Amino acid sequence: MDNRIGRLAMLLLLEEGERPLPEGWSYCIGKVGAMDEQKVVAAIETAARSNHIIRSNVYRETHALYHAIMEALHGVTRGHFQLGDVLRTVGLRFAIVRGTPYKEASEGEWIAVALYGTIGAPVKGLEHETMGLGINHI
Amino acid sequence: MDNRIGRLAMLLLLEEGERPLPEGWSYCIGKVGAMDEQKVVAAIETAARSNHIIRSNVYRETHALYHAIMEALHGVTRGHFQLGDVLRTVGLRFAIVRGTPYKEASEGEWIAVALYGTIGAPVKGLEHETMGLGINHI
Amino acid sequence: MDNRIGRLAMLLLLEEGERPLPEGWSYCIGKVGAMDEQKVVAAIETAARSNHIIRSNVYRETHALYHAIMEALHGVTRGHFQLGDVLRTVGLRFAIVRGTPYKEASEGEWIAVALYGTIGAPVKGLEHETMGLGINHI
Amino acid sequence: MDNRIGRLAMLLLLEEGERPLPEGWSYCIGKVGAMDEQKVVAAIETAARSNHIIRSNVYRETHALYHAIMEALHGVTRGHFQLGDVLRTVGLRFAIVRGTPYKEASEGEWIAVALYGTIGAPVKGLEHETMGLGINHI
Amino acid sequence: MDNRIGRLAMLLLLEEGERPLPEGWSYCIGKVGAMDEQKVVAAIETAARSNHIIRSNVYRETHALYHAIMEALHGVTRGHFQLGDVLRTVGLRFAIVRGTPYKEASEGEWIAVALYGTIGAPVKGLEHETMGLGINHI
Amino acid sequence: MDNRIGRLAMLLLLEEGERPLPEGWSYCIGKVGAMDEQKVVAAIETAARSNHIIRSNVYRETHALYHAIMEALHGVTRGHFQLGDVLRTVGLRFAIVRGTPYKEASEGEWIAVALYGTIGAPVKGLEHETMGLGINHI
Ligand SMILES: [Mg+2]
Ligand SMILES: [Mg+2]
Ligand SMILES: [Mg+2]
Ligand SMILES: [Mg+2]
Ligand SMILES: [Mg+2]
Ligand SMILES: [Mg+2]
């Protein structure tokens, strides 16, 4: 079975249907629209916690997720790590996948955050697609 | 028919099969492995020209493509716009799609550059997936 | 006649007088003072629309202008794409020029955004000059 | 006597005790907790002025300090020059040292800004250490 | 007489003629074409030294110039601080001006580095204009 | 006993003497001088492997170290993630510490990379101090 965690996370967004994951993996999907980057981060973190993708009381899991989110946002923002501050807004769907993408047991668990949606001026239609992927060990 | 140019470009890479595009659209697919970011840019530009996705003798088309490549590389490099300089290498497949993603004729043509592959140390296996998408009007 | 669109845009700011442009070109000039980068972007976009430099109902024109503004702001902010967030303010004049800087008709229209003014602490006099130029095909 | 101004500034923070500085040098120490980067900059600038490390009415001294603060914040923020905007907060102690780290009198005075503390989610304990150093001629 | 050091530096480039500077100010003009950012920095530093704009044996003057060059290059590179690494080249003229732009004697001397020219693919004509300005106390 | 892993890593560099670490922790110290950022990364990675701070055959450990190095280099390079490309060189000492900085066993092991030395023109003496710290879960 396919164990490419980033590809799976992205396909969960792009195909919008069910998709079998390897046994023992977990994932969740959500969406967020915001001019405020902070809200994007918060929405993804909250979804990961409430869906038990990460354990809320273990900082290393929050830390792993946080850096994966930051990496995914680079793909979305492409050079200016800002939204409303540069007068743009996003409408994003996100997928968070936790699993074991490497064969060796010693590689342990990893987390992928995929983002897909639109970015543009805060006016309906003045926007184009955007995408991002972050991957981290957890 | 689906006219989400970025989604289509990314699915061309993730599904690795044929995929119908709207009439009048063009695309090409290629791959490049490099520690040298310059080679990644050159491989994509060369593919776009030799497959007639852009016209070689029209600078505005090269300019549109170039900035789309730069934006896609932000997703791949996630904060340090470098490969070998920070001791890492990429193995990427890329898709370039040119089409008309908006209904209004006045919106004209746009170009999407999607990248998907691995990034990591210059040692087989010490790598994880990476992805990027850039979109520009052309 | 001189068709260097960036040079013309900057001279419109630096010389503060009238300056003939090639036939068929358009331009506008404005000013904005802000600690909020969003306001700088909005002021330039609004001036471009109300002076009919770009067509408000065509996204590709807004998109072209937006990226030219972003590029010009790199020159102004020089490494931290922020104003008030890093406790500084700008007083800027801006020029937007739309024209055909290349001889070949196929190169079509381009847009230049030039910025010139001061940047510094939010205290009169604690500031130095700053400048930026962004150019894009439209 | 040791004239490594950056090392001295950092040791003032890490050792939390008194430490003799070369004759004629001045320094101050303070702390700031914030989700707002602006407040961090303001706290350091205010401390430098009220402790007479810089002269408030001389812009070149504010300018020198400001760029040293910006450089130190790169070490603290490590790639995203933001705090609350990316949903994180800092608790920092800072040391500002002004002195003559070079033997030649012509090299004049320099200023060092050292930062040390924690960075993380706005939840107690979800954080790790962070550090930064900026140095400038004054 | 006009003491806006940045404006003067840029006009020296844009107007290509002689231009009187305030008494006691010094400047030089040069040009450099390169795919290698290092060569741009070296050309400017060498010109500043050989024209006695800065004193070669005083590090603080080199330091002031260096950071002014870095700031000017932000305007030229607009988000990716690279040339050949991202497959582009520049043809630049540069002006370096040293003077006293503030009325108060305590503000002392400052240095401005202005850059103007073209940036683009390493093919004649596939390029557009670019500009940058850096200012520092010296 | 002090379990602030970042502080300990930096003090190992700044004090240059022996320093007791908590039981079960490991560390190594090394140095590297380079105009080539790649060599800095390689020197730190090699030291970590040959001193058994990380396991060479486990990618997640290399990945954790790599991102800690990247973060530490932000402190050293302060805005331009480059050395020779912008005509500067570093002479650095580095400390790598692996340990358990949190009380809860579930927080597991973390790694800190501290850097301290000089940065400047490739001419002896034209340089100032620089510092960086990166911390990651491993
Ligand atoms: Mg990684
Ligand atoms: Mg865009
Ligand atoms: Mg361009
Ligand atoms: Mg410096
Ligand atoms: Mg400044
Ligand atoms: Mg972290």
Side-chain angles (χ1 to χ4, degrees):
Chain A
M1 186 158 206
D2 189 6
N3 65 353
R4 286 171 291 177
I5 192 168
R7 179 178 176 272
L8 289 168
M10 193 53 77
L11 285 173
L12 282 165
L13 293 182
L14 296 181
E15 311 232 299
E16 300 188 24
E18 290 294 305
R19 173 169 287 271
L21 292 186
E23 206 186 315
W25 291 34
S26 59
Y27 79 96
C28 71
I29 283 177
K31 64 182 184 181
V32 58
M35 280 196 78
D36 185 346
E37 205 163 15
Q38 193 182 90
K39 283 186 193 161
V40 178
V41 180
I44 301 172
E45 290 194 351
T46 299
R49 285 188 182 124
S50 59
N51 289 285
H52 307 293
I53 311 298
I54 65 165
R55 288 175 288 170
S56 301
N57 60 340
V58 180
Y59 173 50
R60 68 185 285 124
E61 301 209 346
T62 294
H63 187 254
L65 173 65
Y66 182 79
H67 283 279
I69 296 170
M70 290 297 105
E71 297 199 0
L73 282 172
H74 276 293
V76 166
T77 56
R78 290 149 298 122
H80 315 106
F81 213 77
Q82 296 157 302
L83 300 177
D85 287 344
V86 288
L87 200 55
R88 60 183 178 175
T89 188
V90 288
L92 295 173
R93 293 177 68 246
F94 58 83
I96 314 167
V97 181
R98 180 176 180 153
T100 50
Y102 299 93
K103 281 186 208 127
E104 303 77 7
S106 57
E107 294 300 353
E109 286 185 302
W110 292 66
I111 194 160
V113 173
L115 307 172
Y116 170 69
T118 55
I119 192 164
V123 176
K124 178 74 185 160
L126 302 193
E127 65 206 14
H128 58 63
E129 293 164 276
T130 190
M131 216 175 261
L133 175 67
I135 292 184
N136 207 357
H137 61 285
I138 195 166
Chain B
M1 187 160 205
D2 188 6
N3 64 354
R4 288 172 289 176
I5 193 168
R7 180 178 176 270
L8 289 169
M10 192 54 77
L11 285 173
L12 282 165
L13 292 182
L14 295 181
E15 309 232 299
E16 302 189 23
E18 290 293 307
R19 175 169 285 272
L21 293 187
E23 206 186 316
W25 291 34
S26 58
Y27 79 95
C28 72
I29 282 177
K31 64 181 184 181
V32 58
M35 281 195 79
D36 185 347
E37 205 163 13
Q38 192 183 91
K39 282 185 192 162
V40 177
V41 181
I44 301 171
E45 288 193 351
T46 299
R49 286 188 181 124
S50 59
N51 289 285
H52 307 294
I53 311 299
I54 65 165
R55 289 175 288 171
S56 301
N57 59 340
V58 179
Y59 172 49
R60 68 185 284 124
E61 301 208 348
T62 294
H63 187 253
L65 174 64
Y66 182 79
H67 283 279
I69 296 170
M70 289 298 103
E71 296 198 2
L73 282 172
H74 276 293
V76 167
T77 56
R78 289 151 297 121
H80 315 106
F81 213 78
Q82 296 159 301
L83 300 178
D85 287 343
V86 288
L87 200 57
R88 61 183 178 175
T89 189
V90 287
L92 295 172
R93 293 178 67 246
F94 58 84
I96 313 167
V97 181
R98 179 177 181 154
T100 49
Y102 299 92
K103 280 186 209 125
E104 302 77 6
S106 58
E107 295 300 353
E109 287 185 302
W110 292 67
I111 195 160
V113 173
L115 307 172
Y116 171 69
T118 55
I119 192 164
V123 174
K124 178 75 184 160
L126 301 193
E127 67 208 9
H128 58 65
E129 292 164 275
T130 190
M131 215 175 264
L133 175 68
I135 291 184
N136 208 357
H137 62 284
I138 194 165
Chain C
M1 185 161 205
D2 189 5
N3 64 353
R4 287 172 289 176
I5 192 168
R7 178 177 176 273
L8 288 169
M10 190 55 77
L11 285 174
L12 282 166
L13 294 181
L14 295 182
E15 309 234 300
E16 300 187 26
E18 290 294 305
R19 175 169 285 272
L21 292 187
E23 205 185 316
W25 291 35
S26 59
Y27 79 95
C28 71
I29 283 177
K31 64 182 183 179
V32 58
M35 280 196 79
D36 186 345
E37 205 163 14
Q38 194 181 90
K39 283 186 194 162
V40 178
V41 180
I44 301 172
E45 290 193 351
T46 299
R49 285 187 183 125
S50 58
N51 289 284
H52 308 292
I53 311 298
I54 65 165
R55 288 175 288 170
S56 301
N57 60 339
V58 180
Y59 173 49
R60 67 185 287 123
E61 302 208 345
T62 294
H63 187 253
L65 174 64
Y66 182 79
H67 283 279
I69 296 170
M70 290 297 104
E71 297 199 2
L73 282 172
H74 276 293
V76 167
T77 56
R78 288 149 300 121
H80 314 106
F81 213 76
Q82 296 158 301
L83 300 178
D85 287 344
V86 289
L87 200 54
R88 60 182 177 176
T89 189
V90 287
L92 294 172
R93 292 177 69 245
F94 58 84
I96 314 168
V97 181
R98 179 176 181 154
T100 50
Y102 300 92
K103 280 186 207 127
E104 302 77 7
S106 58
E107 295 299 354
E109 286 185 302
W110 292 67
I111 194 160
V113 174
L115 307 172
Y116 170 68
T118 55
I119 193 163
V123 176
K124 178 75 185 159
L126 302 193
E127 65 207 12
H128 58 63
E129 292 164 276
T130 190
M131 217 175 261
L133 175 68
I135 292 183
N136 207 357
H137 61 285
I138 194 164
Chain D
M1 185 161 205
D2 189 6
N3 65 352
R4 287 172 290 176
I5 192 168
R7 178 178 176 273
L8 289 169
M10 190 55 78
L11 286 173
L12 282 165
L13 294 182
L14 296 182
E15 310 234 298
E16 300 187 24
E18 291 292 307
R19 174 170 287 272
L21 293 187
E23 205 187 316
W25 292 35
S26 59
Y27 79 95
C28 71
I29 283 177
K31 65 182 181 179
V32 57
M35 280 196 79
D36 186 345
E37 205 164 14
Q38 194 182 91
K39 283 186 193 160
V40 177
V41 180
I44 301 172
E45 289 194 351
T46 299
R49 285 186 183 126
S50 59
N51 290 284
H52 307 293
I53 311 298
I54 65 166
R55 288 175 288 170
S56 300
N57 60 339
V58 180
Y59 173 49
R60 67 185 287 126
E61 301 209 347
T62 295
H63 187 253
L65 173 65
Y66 182 79
H67 283 279
I69 296 170
M70 290 297 104
E71 297 199 0
L73 282 172
H74 275 293
V76 167
T77 56
R78 288 150 298 121
H80 314 106
F81 212 78
Q82 296 157 300
L83 300 178
D85 286 345
V86 289
L87 201 55
R88 60 182 178 177
T89 189
V90 288
L92 294 173
R93 292 177 68 246
F94 58 83
I96 314 168
V97 181
R98 180 176 180 153
T100 50
Y102 300 93
K103 279 185 210 129
E104 301 77 6
S106 58
E107 295 299 353
E109 286 185 302
W110 292 65
I111 194 160
V113 173
L115 308 172
Y116 171 68
T118 56
I119 193 164
V123 176
K124 178 76 186 159
L126 301 192
E127 66 206 14
H128 58 63
E129 292 164 276
T130 190
M131 216 175 263
L133 175 68
I135 291 184
N136 207 357
H137 61 284
I138 195 165
Chain E
M1 187 162 206
D2 188 6
N3 64 353
R4 287 171 289 177
I5 193 169
R7 179 178 175 272
L8 289 169
M10 189 55 78
L11 285 174
L12 283 165
L13 293 182
L14 295 182
E15 309 233 299
E16 302 188 23
E18 290 294 306
R19 176 168 284 272
L21 293 187
E23 205 186 316
W25 292 34
S26 59
Y27 78 95
C28 71
I29 282 176
K31 63 182 185 180
V32 57
M35 281 195 79
D36 185 346
E37 205 163 13
Q38 192 182 91
K39 282 185 193 162
V40 177
V41 181
I44 301 171
E45 289 194 351
T46 299
R49 286 188 181 123
S50 59
N51 289 285
H52 307 293
I53 311 299
I54 65 165
R55 288 175 287 169
S56 301
N57 59 339
V58 180
Y59 173 49
R60 69 185 284 124
E61 300 208 347
T62 294
H63 187 253
L65 173 64
Y66 182 79
H67 284 279
I69 296 170
M70 290 297 105
E71 296 199 1
L73 282 172
H74 276 292
V76 166
T77 57
R78 289 151 298 123
H80 316 106
F81 213 78
Q82 295 159 302
L83 299 177
D85 287 344
V86 289
L87 200 56
R88 61 182 176 175
T89 188
V90 287
L92 294 173
R93 294 177 68 246
F94 58 83
I96 314 168
V97 180
R98 180 177 181 153
T100 50
Y102 299 93
K103 280 186 208 128
E104 302 77 8
S106 58
E107 294 300 352
E109 287 185 301
W110 292 66
I111 194 161
V113 173
L115 307 173
Y116 170 68
T118 56
I119 192 163
V123 175
K124 177 72 185 160
L126 302 193
E127 68 208 10
H128 58 64
E129 292 164 276
T130 191
M131 218 176 262
L133 175 67
I135 291 184
N136 208 356
H137 62 284
I138 194 165
Chain F
M1 187 161 204
D2 188 6
N3 65 352
R4 288 172 289 176
I5 192 169
R7 179 179 175 272
L8 288 169
M10 190 55 77
L11 285 174
L12 282 165
L13 293 182
L14 296 182
E15 310 234 297
E16 301 187 26
E18 291 294 306
R19 175 170 285 271
L21 293 186
E23 205 186 317
W25 290 35
S26 59
Y27 78 97
C28 71
I29 283 176
K31 64 181 184 181
V32 57
M35 280 196 79
D36 185 347
E37 205 163 14
Q38 193 182 90
K39 281 186 193 161
V40 177
V41 181
I44 301 172
E45 289 194 351
T46 300
R49 285 188 181 123
S50 59
N51 289 286
H52 307 293
I53 311 298
I54 65 165
R55 288 175 288 170
S56 301
N57 60 339
V58 179
Y59 173 50
R60 69 184 285 122
E61 301 208 346
T62 294
H63 187 253
L65 173 64
Y66 182 79
H67 284 278
I69 296 170
M70 290 297 104
E71 296 199 1
L73 282 172
H74 275 292
V76 166
T77 56
R78 289 150 298 123
H80 315 106
F81 213 78
Q82 296 159 302
L83 300 177
D85 287 344
V86 287
L87 199 56
R88 60 182 178 176
T89 189
V90 287
L92 295 172
R93 294 178 67 246
F94 58 83
I96 314 167
V97 181
R98 180 176 181 153
T100 50
Y102 299 93
K103 281 187 207 125
E104 303 77 7
S106 57
E107 294 300 353
E109 287 185 303
W110 293 66
I111 194 160
V113 173
L115 307 172
Y116 171 68
T118 56
I119 193 163
V123 175
K124 179 73 183 161
L126 301 193
E127 67 208 9
H128 58 64
E129 293 165 276
T130 191
M131 219 176 260
L133 174 68
I135 292 184
N136 208 357
H137 62 284
I138 194 165

